Amino acid sequence: MSTELWQWILVVGSSLLLFLLSPYAKTTESFFKANHNKKSPNVLVLTGSLIISWIFAKSITNAANLGLDFGIVGGVAYAGYYLSFAVAGLLIYQLRTKGGYTSIHQFLTSKFGKKAVAVFTILIIIRLFNEVWSNTMVIGSYFGETGSASYYTAIIVFTLLTLSYAIKGGLSSSIFTDVIQMVLFSVLLIIILYTIFSVENFTAKDIATSGTWSFELGLNLFFAAIIQSFSYPFHDPVLTDRAFISSPKVTRKSFLWASLLGAICIVLFSIIGVYAQTQGFKGQAAVEVGKAFGVVVLLVINFIMITSAASTLDSTFSSFSKLLAVDLGLGKSLSFGRLAMVAIALLGTIPIFFNAEILSATTISGTMVIGLTPIFLFWNYKVPKISFYLSVGCGLLFGFLLIFKAFPEALIFTKGRYADLLWVNVWGIFSCNILYFVPRWIKQ
């Protein structure tokens, strides 16, 4: 059988299996809050769900490519984003226990009003919209060249199959299948790493000496990731929805474990890129390593991509559905929730049929949301409502400066790739914090 036929068997077979196994949601509690038989997810289930819903196809592709470009430093740099879980876990624990809030939207409404919530909602809708096409495009790329018939067919089939089991159980389905996908991911990753380390000329020493710990060769990205981790998680409802479904203590413990284990998973996956670097490979690290080891390893890598993309996609459908139905109160019924899933699947797939410029124009970068940092970090401080708009607006401004390469070079103090990303975030987060507190100081 050809490689492509095996890939189709993996996509269709795994999706049908998840459809058959996933629970059918009969109540809104089960569909929107994953409350199954009046039980919330425990630490193990919630931790697994958090990790796999964030280890999406695009992120492990990036981890492998950064391993290829910068050695193990690249993997560690990208793993810096997983501090987001610890930040969100600790801050949302305080929001729930000290503030008594039951959702991010409730917190923002009570503190900054409905207009602020509308701005915040636009940011997260764009985020969810991006999640659909950015993950399905990775799957499409394993079936054919961008723009080819097989590329589009794979994307459409994969999206419909994932949508089918997401519609069946909502967030219950999403979390249940996340656990299966996390186990699969772990087993497949072990197989790949075992294969790589079975090569005689590749050792742990090669990994340790594969990168240089300098700003130019990876640390720019590492520090940018750490800075963004104080705002990044709050514009991702896939992550924050999971922070309100179990008890505060279970949630905090799950988020802290997910921060550590998720970072380890990313570093381990970047070893694929490190191996590619030692072999002098060029291009997409995961694909090239798969090809070098033959059909079986290539299929294992493909299956990891399918698993991670599916887990993010079904979580995206669930989060969009909950956002419209519960957070915005547009219609808290099962039929409305399922209809919302169909809508985001459709809207998120349309951009794939347009060019890359349109795709990049619809992306909200991590820099654009740094304005959320003081809003959540200093949630207990009393500030006027204008503080929200000043901070969020400042973050968006710095995000656009980065995109259009309009940031003054005199304010960039390191060299190499991601230097502009780091310093835009350093100056941006400083400015956002100042602007957030200015109205409070003026009032005093």
Side-chain angles (χ1 to χ4, degrees):
M1 280 198 286
S2 68
T3 307
E4 192 173 330
L5 185 58
W6 273 113
Q7 286 175 185
W8 276 114
I9 290 169
L10 289 176
V11 167
V12 177
S14 60
S15 300
L16 289 176
L17 188 66
L18 291 175
F19 179 80
L20 292 169
L21 293 174
S22 61
Y24 177 71
K26 293 177 182 175
T27 65
T28 52
E29 284 292 301
S30 176
F31 193 85
F32 296 116
K33 293 187 178 178
N35 200 312
H36 196 57
N37 294 332
K38 295 189 176 176
K39 284 183 182 176
S40 300
N42 60 29
V43 173
L44 194 64
V45 169
L46 192 55
T47 303
S49 177
L50 283 165
I51 295 168
I52 197 66
S53 63
W54 246 45
I55 298 181
F56 36 97
K58 198 177 173 188
S59 70
I60 54 179
T61 301
N62 288 346
N65 289 341
L66 285 163
L68 172 63
D69 293 343
F70 299 119
I72 197 65
V73 184
V76 172
Y78 200 60
Y81 278 106
Y82 283 75
L83 177 65
S84 295
F85 281 119
V87 171
L90 294 170
L91 289 175
I92 292 174
Y93 177 81
Q94 290 186 339
L95 282 173
R96 290 180 66 184
T97 54
K98 292 181 183 172
Y101 297 109
T102 56
S103 72
I104 297 286
H105 278 71
Q106 187 202 1
F107 159 64
L108 291 174
T109 306
S110 69
K111 191 161 183 183
F112 301 107
K114 287 186 176 176
K115 286 179 184 172
V117 170
V119 173
F120 178 73
T121 301
I122 291 166
L123 291 177
I124 62 175
I125 282 177
I126 295 171
R127 160 83 187 187
L128 290 169
F129 170 77
N130 289 341
E131 289 285 23
V132 178
W133 59 256
S134 66
N135 278 283
T136 56
M137 276 175 74
V138 175
I139 299 300
S141 69
Y142 279 82
F143 285 84
E145 290 295 315
T146 304
S148 65
S150 52
Y151 169 82
Y152 289 129
T153 305
I155 287 172
I156 293 165
V157 171
F158 177 72
T159 305
L160 288 174
L161 287 169
T162 309
L163 178 64
S164 64
Y165 74 77
I167 278 177
K168 187 181 172 187
L171 193 56
S172 283
S173 262
S174 182
I175 286 180
F176 176 79
T177 54
D178 280 350
V179 176
I180 298 169
Q181 287 156 337
M182 185 66 215
V183 172
L184 262 176
F185 176 86
S186 305
V187 171
L188 295 169
L189 182 58
I190 289 165
I191 291 168
I192 293 170
L193 291 174
Y194 176 78
T195 309
I196 288 173
F197 280 107
S198 65
V199 177
E200 285 175 23
N201 61 349
F202 187 69
T203 62
K205 190 185 175 187
D206 293 318
I207 296 168
T209 57
S210 63
T212 306
W213 296 88
S214 68
F215 279 97
E216 292 88 337
L217 296 172
L219 291 185
N220 280 327
L221 178 62
F222 175 74
F223 288 111
I226 297 297
I227 291 168
Q228 287 188 4
S229 293
F230 288 89
S231 55
Y232 199 85
F234 299 106
H235 92 300
D236 183 6
V238 166
L239 184 147
T240 54
D241 283 352
R242 284 162 170 73
F244 291 94
I245 56 177
S246 296
S247 73
K249 280 189 177 175
V250 165
T251 303
R252 182 176 61 179
K253 192 182 277 189
S254 300
F255 271 70
L256 291 173
W257 273 114
S259 190
L260 175 67
L261 298 175
I264 290 169
C265 285
I266 286 293
V267 173
L268 289 175
F269 203 86
S270 73
I271 291 172
I272 294 169
V274 176
Y275 174 77
Q277 186 194 63
T278 63
Q279 302 303 304
F281 293 160
K282 297 278 183 274
Q284 293 284 341
V287 179
E288 296 308 315
V289 170
K291 284 177 183 171
F293 280 108
V295 175
V296 175
V297 174
L298 183 61
L299 286 172
V300 169
I301 289 174
N302 286 4
F303 199 27
I304 275 199
M305 295 298 175
I306 292 162
T307 302
S308 53
S311 69
T312 307
L313 205 56
D314 64 45
S315 298
T316 301
F317 295 153
S318 301
S319 290
F320 184 76
S321 176
K322 179 184 171 285
L323 173 66
L324 295 194
V326 181
D327 296 330
L328 300 179
L330 298 179
K332 197 179 174 183
S333 69
L334 291 173
S335 53
F336 180 85
R338 289 180 168 126
L339 204 61
M341 286 186 173
V342 175
I344 188 69
L346 192 65
L347 290 170
T349 305
I350 290 169
I352 287 164
F353 297 94
F354 295 95
N355 58 26
E357 282 75 27
I358 287 177
L359 293 179
S360 59
T362 62
T363 300
I364 282 209
S365 67
T367 304
M368 284 182 169
V369 294
I370 54 172
L372 296 174
T373 304
I375 292 161
F376 289 95
L377 199 56
F378 306 109
W379 69 273
N380 219 359
Y381 283 73
K382 281 194 171 140
V383 290
K385 287 180 182 177
I386 188 74
S387 291
F388 174 90
Y389 301 99
L390 288 172
S391 185
V392 170
C394 179
L396 287 168
L397 173 66
F398 275 88
F400 283 118
L401 287 175
L402 180 66
I403 287 170
F404 296 113
K405 303 200 181 303
F407 191 71
E409 280 190 33
L411 296 176
I412 299 172
F413 299 120
T414 55
K415 296 270 188 285
R417 216 162 116 201
Y418 301 114
D420 54 347
L421 175 72
L422 171 61
W423 290 99
V424 166
N425 278 274
V426 168
W427 292 108
I429 213 150
F430 176 74
S431 306
C432 289
N433 278 289
I434 295 292
L435 284 173
Y436 184 74
F437 284 109
V438 162
R440 175 185 160 112
W441 296 331
I442 291 171
K443 236 181 169 184
Q444 286 174 344

